Amino acid sequence: DAANTDLTRVSVKAHRMFSVVMPTMSFVVSLGAVAALYLGGKSVMFDGLKIGQLIAFLNYLSMSLSGVLFVGMMVSSLGRSEASSERIYEVLDTESDIVDRPSALPEFKPQGRVVFDNVSFSYNGSDAQPVLSNVSFTAEPGSTVAILGATGSGKTTLVNLIPRFYDVTDGRVSIDGVDVRDIQQTALRRAMGIALQEPILFSGSVRDNIRYGRPDATDEEVIAAAKAAQAHDFIMSFPDGYDSQIGQRGVNISGGQKQRIAIARALLTKPAILILDDSTSSVDVDTEARIQEALDEIMEERTSFVIAQRVSTVLNADKILVLDGGRLVAEGTHAELLRSSPIYREIYDSQLGSGVYANGSN
């Protein structure tokens, strides 16, 4: 609030100054032209000045004064540019807090066993309010782990620790027994496929956006990934199919279409670990069911982490984690949690109706 108030004050002051300076400069320029015309006219009449010389002088004067006005406008732009350039260079010169250890592994091809060992994390160091507290669980290779919880419970933060978007404050995250901090970031992330709730698409063709994670993928592999993500049909409805152009950040397609393209991109990399961060939140229930059916087969080959708001998305997961206030409050299958976790049962009842259901049976 203080920063915005200060910005408002300075902006009003600058605009007031600009509103005075520009009319003043225009008046002075016009006054100079009138004076030159008046004095030059008298010289033509009484002192023998030729009309052509007067016209030439007025043209030169006009061109010079236009340049002066342009310089005046540039001065204000230069001030804004200087402030912007300082911010740009500040960002460019910023060094990431996530750095590779000298002994970090340059190559890593995991089977996909992920272990959180008493993990705690806070965004502003160990003295700040923790976002995650003492989280421990194991995801076996080829299993599907679903993560449920209220907004702000730490679901996205938890999965962001696996590819080292952040480093844990306390504890340890390991893959196949290797601490993720002992693996070079490039090698670590090459083994993962990630589809976020707000996917980032780039200006270019649909094919290139899907192929972003694997530039050497064949057209057949791109189409297969799109079909698995339930994106093939709507892509083929575009005038140019897979060659159709997408605007920056996917401005010319819907949110559900962007999410399905992002899922196809993640699947194309054939990762050992697949992370889906509420990546079907913008698609309808029927489409989500078809995506889930296709993903069930694909997920059998890789360790998958699925963040979802809909309980129906995670019913068949091998393990469901329930987070509350940054703590792991329940862990188990759908049937186990219905019996043992009041929080999970409350979420289930609020979405799918009351009653105890397990594996689709009453």
Side-chain angles (χ1 to χ4, degrees):
D1 182 66
N4 279 299
T5 301
D6 187 53
L7 174 62
T8 301
R9 180 182 57 80
V10 173
S11 297
V12 169
K13 181 179 178 181
H15 281 85
R16 283 176 176 170
M17 184 179 296
F18 194 74
S19 65
V20 171
V21 170
M22 290 306 297
T24 301
M25 291 182 63
S26 298
F27 175 75
V28 171
V29 168
S30 300
L31 187 63
V34 170
L37 187 61
Y38 173 75
L39 296 175
K42 289 183 65 176
S43 296
V44 169
M45 294 173 64
F46 304 114
D47 298 330
L49 182 68
K50 295 181 180 179
I51 294 178
Q53 293 175 316
L54 175 62
I55 298 300
F57 176 79
L58 290 173
N59 284 334
Y60 288 137
L61 178 64
S62 176
M63 294 172 62
S64 300
L65 293 178
S66 297
V68 172
L69 284 173
F70 181 76
V71 169
M73 294 170 60
M74 286 294 294
V75 168
S76 62
S77 298
L78 286 172
R80 290 193 296 268
S81 299
E82 182 181 4
S84 298
S85 63
E86 288 178 359
R87 176 57 182 157
I88 290 171
Y89 283 114
E90 179 183 339
V91 172
L92 292 176
D93 293 339
T94 299
E95 295 185 2
S96 175
D97 294 331
I98 309 300
V99 296
D100 292 331
R101 293 174 175 175
S103 59
L105 299 175
E107 295 292 335
F108 186 63
K109 295 182 179 180
Q111 296 297 313
R113 188 174 191 268
V114 179
V115 177
F116 275 62
D117 184 8
N118 204 33
V119 168
S120 296
F121 174 79
S122 58
Y123 283 101
N124 296 310
S126 57
D127 295 333
Q129 179 69 26
V131 180
L132 295 173
S133 299
N134 307 115
V135 175
S136 297
F137 68 89
T138 299
E140 298 296 341
S143 65
T144 298
V145 177
I147 305 170
L148 290 179
T151 300
S153 60
K155 303 186 298 296
T156 298
T157 300
L158 185 145
V159 295
N160 282 343
L161 296 177
I162 302 173
R164 280 194 76 198
F165 292 158
Y166 307 99
D167 274 340
V168 299
T169 305
D170 291 301
R172 180 173 181 260
V173 178
S174 63
I175 301 176
D176 292 359
V178 181
D179 193 316
V180 293
R181 291 169 291 189
D182 292 326
I183 308 167
Q184 289 187 7
Q185 296 173 60
T186 302
L188 176 66
R189 294 169 186 171
R190 192 181 293 123
M192 300 183 186
I194 304 174
L196 304 176
Q197 182 178 4
E198 294 293 335
I200 301 298
L201 301 183
F202 306 96
S203 297
S205 68
V206 174
R207 178 182 285 104
D208 289 341
N209 269 275
I210 296 176
R211 194 182 272 158
Y212 178 74
R214 264 188 67 203
D216 59 341
T218 65
D219 288 345
E220 290 75 16
E221 290 175 318
V222 170
I223 293 172
K227 287 181 176 178
Q230 299 299 311
H232 178 73
D233 290 342
F234 81 76
I235 292 173
M236 293 306 297
S237 69
F238 294 157
D240 297 320
Y242 283 83
D243 292 319
S244 299
Q245 295 297 303
I246 294 178
Q248 184 70 21
R249 299 183 71 89
V251 295
N252 55 337
I253 59 177
S254 71
Q257 290 171 337
K258 286 192 289 186
Q259 287 189 329
R260 280 177 276 176
I261 289 175
I263 293 173
R265 175 195 292 169
L267 296 178
L268 184 63
T269 61
K270 297 181 179 179
I273 299 172
L274 178 64
I275 298 174
L276 303 177
D277 185 358
D278 208 7
S279 57
T280 58
S281 60
S282 296
V283 303
D284 59 83
V285 176
D286 290 339
T287 302
E288 183 187 28
R290 293 196 300 271
I291 293 174
Q292 194 60 45
E293 184 178 349
L295 288 177
D296 285 342
E297 181 178 347
I298 294 170
M299 288 177 176
E300 291 179 358
E301 305 172 5
R302 50 189 51 87
T303 307
S304 304
F305 292 87
V306 181
I307 294 177
Q309 298 295 337
R310 300 169 182 165
V311 175
S312 57
T313 306
V314 303
L315 293 179
N316 297 323
D318 299 301
K319 180 180 293 185
I320 300 174
L321 308 178
V322 182
L323 296 180
D324 184 32
R327 294 183 178 276
L328 181 59
V329 296
E331 174 183 354
T333 64
H334 166 66
E336 292 169 348
L337 291 178
L338 278 178
R339 291 191 296 269
S340 62
S341 172
I343 294 178
Y344 180 80
R345 191 160 52 248
E346 180 180 350
I347 296 173
Y348 179 85
D349 290 345
S350 67
Q351 295 187 21
L352 300 180
S354 59
V356 179
Y357 294 82
N359 297 325
S361 60
N362 192 340

